[in-house]
Amino acid sequence: ASRGLGLEWCRQLSDKGWTVYAACRAGPAAPALAPLNVTPVMLDVADPASVAGLAAALEGVDLDLLVNNAGIRPDECGPDKTLGEMDYSAMEAVLATNTVGPMRVLSACLPALKRAGAFKVLNVSSGLGSCSLAAHTRRAFGNIAATDLAYRSSKAALNMATALAALELGESHPQSCVVAFDPGWVATDMGLRGGKDSPPLKAGVEDAVRRSIQRMEDLTPAETGSYVSGPGTAAAVREDGSIGYGASVVAW
């Protein structure tokens, strides 16, 4: 929550009057959070003890919304690495943060979510996690020199974990909505990779989050378990085989 999309979510939700718990590794020491009307919480999603601290911070809180936004994409196993060049220890760290981390956080937040009753969970995924789009990588994601194996695998696994969590929680809490949420290809530090990439729609963070918040507010329990494009800019294969970037739902 101290940079990029997470920070902008905190800014816009707090401006709309939400009570926001902003979780990041630096917690209250994060300078970007200081000007905002939020409650900073120290959190490393890959550290079970840190996640337990989050659960303690939410004792007695009715949590209406959880946005699981933490994610990493290190160069050691990044988009330009082929199978033989990959640092697989780095890939394990990606899976720990991007896949296991959100589920660990969701589990820790369950008591607070259940107190709210009609809660929403957004596990922030990516269109890069779509197995259907994998065969179209060279056209849909032409900036990727290799295949982005680590990051894309972590998001595909997160999608399945989200679908199963939605199934379980939908049975016990039918007013809940749990989705895999694609924020779009946005001009953040991760999205631009230090200037190596340029999103095809060049979506700004503020606009992308504004549209994503509107989509979040419109979510209903009928959509639980789905793979949603927040700003409605997901890649999709058209009938003529070309690639468009205006889909509101991402193909699994």
Side-chain angles (χ1 to χ4, degrees):
S2 60
R3 61 189 176 92
L5 290 171
L7 178 62
E8 189 61 26
W9 270 88
C10 291
R11 187 191 322 278
Q12 292 194 28
L13 286 177
S14 63
D15 286 347
K16 289 169 72 71
W18 287 64
T19 298
V20 177
Y21 291 83
C24 64
R25 288 190 180 93
L33 295 177
L36 305 186
N37 184 25
V38 302
T39 300
V41 180
M42 188 174 293
L43 175 66
D44 179 348
V45 302
D47 180 357
S50 179
V51 176
L54 171 65
L58 294 176
E59 286 184 7
V61 172
D62 293 358
L63 191 64
D64 300 290
L65 172 67
L66 170 63
V67 181
N68 258 323
N69 185 61
I72 60 173
R73 195 184 186 193
D75 288 340
E76 293 84 355
C77 57
D80 304 329
K81 301 297 184 184
T82 62
L83 287 171
E85 298 169 337
M86 289 277 294
D87 181 333
Y88 288 97
S89 294
M91 181 173 178
E92 289 176 341
V94 170
L95 291 167
T97 297
N98 297 5
T99 307
V100 179
M103 304 316 293
R104 182 180 281 127
V105 169
L106 172 55
S107 179
C109 291
L110 278 179
L113 290 166
K114 290 179 178 179
R115 279 192 291 271
F119 59 82
K120 296 177 181 180
V121 176
L122 276 55
N123 285 334
V124 177
S125 182
S126 167
L128 290 169
S130 167
C131 292
S132 297
L133 290 172
H136 304 279
T137 292
R138 300 304 175 220
R139 290 183 299 133
F141 312 112
N143 64 303
I144 297 176
T147 62
D148 208 358
L149 172 65
Y151 183 77
R152 297 179 72 177
S153 296
S154 74
K155 293 302 186 181
L158 176 62
N159 291 345
M160 175 59 83
T162 301
L164 296 177
L167 174 63
E168 176 182 328
L169 294 173
E171 292 173 344
S172 59
H173 292 76
Q175 295 306 306
S176 66
C177 184
V178 180
V179 298
F181 199 84
D182 172 22
W185 191 0
V186 187
T188 61
D189 289 342
M190 181 181 291
L192 296 175
R193 290 202 302 136
K196 294 180 182 179
D197 290 347
S198 179
L201 299 182
K202 303 187 185 302
V205 174
E206 183 177 348
D207 181 58
V209 171
R210 178 186 58 79
R211 293 161 67 181
S212 290
I213 289 176
Q214 181 62 60
R215 184 69 182 93
M216 175 275 294
E217 291 175 333
D218 292 341
L219 284 172
T220 69
E223 296 176 273
T224 197
S226 60
Y227 191 4
V228 175
S229 171
T233 57
V237 182
R238 300 189 180 106
E239 289 186 5
D240 63 1
S242 63
I243 302 295
Y245 293 93
S248 59
V249 176
V250 189
W252 292 105

